[in-house]
mmCIF file of all heavy atoms in Angstrom:
data_model
loop_
_atom_site.group_PDB
_atom_site.id
_atom_site.type_symbol
_atom_site.label_atom_id
_atom_site.label_comp_id
_atom_site.label_asym_id
_atom_site.label_seq_id
_atom_site.Cartn_x
_atom_site.Cartn_y
_atom_site.Cartn_z
ATOM 1 N N LEU A 211 23.002 -7.770 -0.820
ATOM 2 C CA LEU A 211 24.037 -8.632 -1.381
ATOM 3 C C LEU A 211 25.141 -8.875 -0.328
ATOM 4 O O LEU A 211 25.588 -10.018 -0.105
ATOM 5 C CB LEU A 211 24.631 -7.955 -2.621
ATOM 6 C CG LEU A 211 25.598 -8.778 -3.443
ATOM 7 C CD1 LEU A 211 25.023 -10.101 -3.863
ATOM 8 C CD2 LEU A 211 26.012 -7.957 -4.712
ATOM 9 N N ALA A 212 25.505 -7.812 0.384
ATOM 10 C CA ALA A 212 26.580 -7.963 1.395
ATOM 11 C C ALA A 212 26.109 -8.859 2.535
ATOM 12 O O ALA A 212 26.913 -9.669 3.045
ATOM 13 C CB ALA A 212 26.999 -6.594 1.928
ATOM 14 N N LEU A 213 24.847 -8.750 2.964
ATOM 15 C CA LEU A 213 24.355 -9.629 4.021
ATOM 16 C C LEU A 213 24.479 -11.068 3.576
ATOM 17 O O LEU A 213 24.927 -11.931 4.333
ATOM 18 C CB LEU A 213 22.908 -9.316 4.290
ATOM 19 C CG LEU A 213 22.624 -8.049 5.131
ATOM 20 C CD1 LEU A 213 21.150 -7.626 4.988
ATOM 21 C CD2 LEU A 213 22.935 -8.278 6.605
ATOM 22 N N ALA A 214 24.088 -11.379 2.337
ATOM 23 C CA ALA A 214 24.147 -12.730 1.847
ATOM 24 C C ALA A 214 25.592 -13.228 1.716
ATOM 25 O O ALA A 214 25.916 -14.367 2.017
ATOM 26 C CB ALA A 214 23.450 -12.813 0.461
ATOM 27 N N LEU A 215 26.464 -12.322 1.256
ATOM 28 C CA LEU A 215 27.858 -12.727 1.084
ATOM 29 C C LEU A 215 28.542 -13.010 2.422
ATOM 30 O O LEU A 215 29.386 -13.884 2.547
ATOM 31 C CB LEU A 215 28.636 -11.619 0.312
ATOM 32 C CG LEU A 215 28.181 -11.448 -1.163
ATOM 33 C CD1 LEU A 215 28.854 -10.225 -1.780
ATOM 34 C CD2 LEU A 215 28.510 -12.693 -1.975
ATOM 35 N N VAL A 216 28.185 -12.202 3.436
ATOM 36 C CA VAL A 216 28.757 -12.479 4.767
ATOM 37 C C VAL A 216 28.231 -13.835 5.282
ATOM 38 O O VAL A 216 28.997 -14.616 5.858
ATOM 39 C CB VAL A 216 28.355 -11.333 5.754
ATOM 40 C CG1 VAL A 216 28.582 -11.750 7.208
ATOM 41 C CG2 VAL A 216 29.149 -10.096 5.421
ATOM 42 N N ASN A 217 26.950 -14.114 5.047
ATOM 43 C CA ASN A 217 26.424 -15.438 5.450
ATOM 44 C C ASN A 217 27.202 -16.569 4.780
ATOM 45 O O ASN A 217 27.557 -17.574 5.391
ATOM 46 C CB ASN A 217 24.946 -15.563 5.041
ATOM 47 C CG ASN A 217 24.059 -14.671 5.877
ATOM 48 O OD1 ASN A 217 24.459 -14.171 6.898
ATOM 49 N ND2 ASN A 217 22.837 -14.452 5.416
ATOM 50 N N LEU A 218 27.508 -16.320 3.503
ATOM 51 C CA LEU A 218 28.256 -17.344 2.763
ATOM 52 C C LEU A 218 29.676 -17.493 3.295
ATOM 53 O O LEU A 218 30.169 -18.610 3.501
ATOM 54 C CB LEU A 218 28.318 -16.876 1.281
ATOM 55 C CG LEU A 218 28.569 -17.851 0.188
ATOM 56 C CD1 LEU A 218 27.579 -18.992 0.287
ATOM 57 C CD2 LEU A 218 28.389 -17.134 -1.131
ATOM 58 N N ALA A 219 30.345 -16.363 3.524
ATOM 59 C CA ALA A 219 31.729 -16.403 4.041
ATOM 60 C C ALA A 219 31.772 -17.124 5.382
ATOM 61 O O ALA A 219 32.719 -17.831 5.656
ATOM 62 C CB ALA A 219 32.305 -14.970 4.158
ATOM 63 N N CYS A 220 30.703 -16.967 6.179
ATOM 64 C CA CYS A 220 30.709 -17.551 7.507
ATOM 65 C C CYS A 220 30.247 -19.013 7.522
ATOM 66 O O CYS A 220 30.490 -19.731 8.488
ATOM 67 C CB CYS A 220 29.808 -16.779 8.434
ATOM 68 S SG CYS A 220 30.454 -15.109 8.803
ATOM 69 N N THR A 221 29.582 -19.482 6.460
ATOM 70 C CA THR A 221 29.129 -20.874 6.466
ATOM 71 C C THR A 221 30.039 -21.753 5.627
ATOM 72 O O THR A 221 30.517 -22.773 6.107
ATOM 73 C CB THR A 221 27.665 -20.984 5.921
ATOM 74 O OG1 THR A 221 27.564 -20.222 4.735
ATOM 75 C CG2 THR A 221 26.698 -20.451 6.936
ATOM 76 N N VAL A 222 30.285 -21.401 4.381
ATOM 77 C CA VAL A 222 31.039 -22.268 3.478
ATOM 78 C C VAL A 222 32.550 -21.996 3.530
ATOM 79 O O VAL A 222 33.369 -22.834 3.134
ATOM 80 C CB VAL A 222 30.539 -22.092 2.016
ATOM 81 C CG1 VAL A 222 31.193 -23.106 1.078
ATOM 82 C CG2 VAL A 222 29.050 -22.231 1.939
ATOM 83 N N SER A 223 32.943 -20.843 4.056
ATOM 84 C CA SER A 223 34.329 -20.493 4.153
ATOM 85 C C SER A 223 35.078 -20.482 2.809
ATOM 86 O O SER A 223 36.158 -21.026 2.658
ATOM 87 C CB SER A 223 35.068 -21.404 5.153
ATOM 88 O OG SER A 223 36.291 -20.831 5.544
#
Side-chain angles (χ1 to χ4, degrees):
L211 188 55
L213 284 163
L215 293 171
V216 165
N217 291 345
L218 203 52
C220 292
T221 48
V222 186
S223 197

